[in-house]
Amino acid sequence: MDWSPFEKNVKASGNSRRERELNKARHYLNKYGENNPSYKKVKINGVDDVLAINTGTQPYYKKFHTLPDHHIQTGDYVEWADTVWLVKTADFDDELIIDGALQQCNYVLKWQDENLNIIERYAVTQGATAYNTGLNETQLITVGYNQLLVLIPFDEDTKNLTRGHRFFVSNTLKDIRPYKITSFDTTTNIYNGHGYISMMLSEDQLQKDDNVELQICNYHEKENIDITENTRSEISYKSTKIKSGYKKGTTFTANFYNGKNLVNDISPRWELKCNFRDELKIVEDGNKITISVDNDELINQHLSLILSDTEGNYTADELLLEVIGLF
């Protein structure tokens, strides 16, 4: 008996039982999935699509899964129910469907790029309660140390942001506050070039060129500035923590830039703002400064490290530091 027609018919749905079961599941989901109430019409990065969204989870956090052969990645935007959501996770196992999690965006960050074009991105903002210490009253000035954790997609515009960049983050104009990037993570949540950036923003002071009406910090009209000139200082570091009792201390390096070009032979000027300055041991060596402390009563206290140049030609950079335990 010739079994070849039977075998040919069986293999039409797949070469193995597993493949046939997967193809059957794909066919079923594609045929009936969009009629399932769980599947919602959405836009993914502006393109019409559908997602099964679990609306029973927390209000601003949702789980989802796709239809077969539909694609979604960490860091994508999902528009649904007149809201914008950031894809926090998306499983790489897409053999049948992709499942993951969404978090609702609650703010639009605005800034200018190097060519002074205005950039806008939906972002997730939340209070960084683990780092929030309110106000730190020093002998010279009262500095606000309220902090925000901000999540924003990694793309051609956001990857050019740097520590020290400033944004307005406020829904009111009466007490609008600028914030500055003090920590910038471009690795933890990015895979194969897709994902999102995690930024820690610390409360900053208003500056003369902050445009409150447009809600853009350090705003400049294109015709009023030479965009080739952008002199700034920047503190580089491996940690923002000062370990009490650690004799080697924590070292920070002064860098000075004109546009994207690193400028050498600039004399740094360091300034520390805190109410326990006498407890710190400070060693300056060329363009480096090392700070150490040996007093466990200062654990969880914060201090501000400010870098400028002795000639006053470069905009200052400020970094928020924290005293922690040795172990």
Side-chain angles (χ1 to χ4, degrees):
M1 184 175 181
D2 186 4
W3 290 93
S4 57
F6 173 76
E7 291 176 351
K8 183 178 180 181
N9 187 49
V10 170
K11 290 184 178 181
S13 298
N15 292 318
S16 66
R17 181 176 179 179
R18 172 175 168 61
E19 189 176 344
R20 288 191 292 273
E21 290 297 326
L22 285 171
N23 287 335
K24 185 191 298 184
R26 288 192 187 96
H27 173 77
Y28 179 85
L29 286 171
N30 283 323
K31 184 175 182 179
Y32 300 107
E34 291 192 43
N35 296 321
N36 186 320
S38 295
Y39 279 90
K40 315 294 182 182
K41 291 183 178 180
V42 304
K43 290 182 181 290
I44 300 177
N45 296 331
V47 179
D48 290 333
D49 211 318
V50 292
L51 285 178
I53 298 177
N54 180 359
T55 57
T57 51
Q58 299 180 58
Y60 309 112
Y61 305 85
K62 304 294 182 185
K63 293 184 178 180
F64 72 86
H65 63 262
T66 66
L67 286 173
D69 304 316
H70 287 229
H71 298 285
I72 192 169
Q73 300 182 94
T74 303
D76 285 348
Y77 282 130
V78 172
E79 297 175 54
W80 167 60
D82 296 323
T83 53
V84 178
W85 302 71
L86 177 69
V87 179
K88 292 285 294 296
T89 60
D91 197 335
F92 283 110
D93 183 2
D94 60 354
E95 190 172 32
L96 181 59
I97 61 172
I98 300 173
D99 56 16
L102 307 171
Q103 185 169 353
Q104 187 175 349
C105 297
N106 58 354
Y107 198 75
V108 178
L109 285 184
K110 299 178 182 180
W111 70 95
Q112 287 180 293
D113 64 13
E114 291 185 345
N115 297 316
L116 302 183
N117 300 309
I118 295 176
I119 308 298
E120 297 185 3
R121 288 292 184 277
Y122 283 95
V124 173
T125 68
Q126 57 194 60
T129 54
Y131 304 90
N132 193 339
T133 60
L135 292 176
N136 181 18
E137 295 185 359
T138 68
Q139 296 177 352
L140 300 177
I141 188 172
T142 298
V143 181
Y145 280 154
N146 290 318
Q147 294 185 314
L148 295 173
L149 176 65
V150 176
L151 310 180
I152 192 170
F154 177 76
D155 60 33
E156 290 300 315
D157 290 313
T158 60
K159 72 180 183 181
N160 289 317
L161 294 171
T162 59
R163 192 168 46 79
H165 203 105
R166 301 169 66 251
F167 309 93
F168 280 119
V169 187
S170 176
N171 287 313
T172 175
L173 295 178
K174 290 186 177 180
D175 189 27
I176 190 167
R177 300 292 178 90
Y179 285 79
K180 179 171 63 176
I181 300 176
T182 53
S183 178
F184 196 64
D185 184 353
T186 59
T187 58
T188 302
N189 299 298
I190 298 173
Y191 304 90
N192 298 326
H194 297 277
Y196 59 88
I197 295 168
S198 175
M199 304 185 294
M200 190 70 71
L201 305 187
S202 296
E203 186 179 321
D204 198 26
Q205 303 296 315
L206 276 170
Q207 297 182 6
K208 291 182 179 180
D209 58 356
D210 291 342
N211 191 316
V212 174
E213 183 178 356
L214 294 177
Q215 294 205 15
I216 298 176
C217 291
N218 306 117
Y219 176 77
H220 297 285
E221 297 285 353
K222 283 189 176 183
E223 60 269 21
N224 293 337
I225 188 170
D226 181 1
I227 62 176
T228 62
E229 294 294 325
N230 179 20
T231 53
R232 60 185 175 85
S233 57
E234 182 177 300
I235 306 169
S236 61
Y237 59 94
K238 291 184 178 180
S239 174
T240 59
K241 311 297 183 182
I242 310 294
K243 293 183 178 180
S244 176
Y246 184 57
K247 294 183 179 180
K248 291 185 177 180
T250 304
T251 299
F252 305 90
T253 303
N255 301 288
F256 298 93
Y257 292 90
N258 188 337
K260 292 185 177 180
N261 299 317
L262 181 65
V263 182
N264 298 315
D265 300 323
I266 303 296
S267 300
R269 177 179 180 272
W270 299 99
E271 182 181 0
L272 281 163
K273 291 183 179 179
C274 63
N275 55 4
F276 49 92
R277 178 68 173 75
D278 293 340
E279 297 285 344
L280 302 175
K281 180 181 179 181
I282 299 168
V283 177
E284 295 188 36
D285 182 13
N287 67 333
K288 298 181 184 295
I289 185 172
T290 300
I291 305 171
S292 59
V293 65
D294 190 7
N295 186 345
D296 287 352
E297 292 183 0
L298 296 176
I299 291 174
N300 297 325
Q301 293 295 310
H302 290 77
L303 58 150
S304 182
L305 176 65
I306 302 172
L307 168 67
S308 57
D309 66 295
T310 55
E311 301 297 324
N313 295 324
Y314 292 78
T315 58
D317 188 20
E318 184 174 4
L319 190 62
L320 182 66
L321 312 178
E322 182 183 10
V323 179
I324 64 173
L326 185 59
F327 302 104

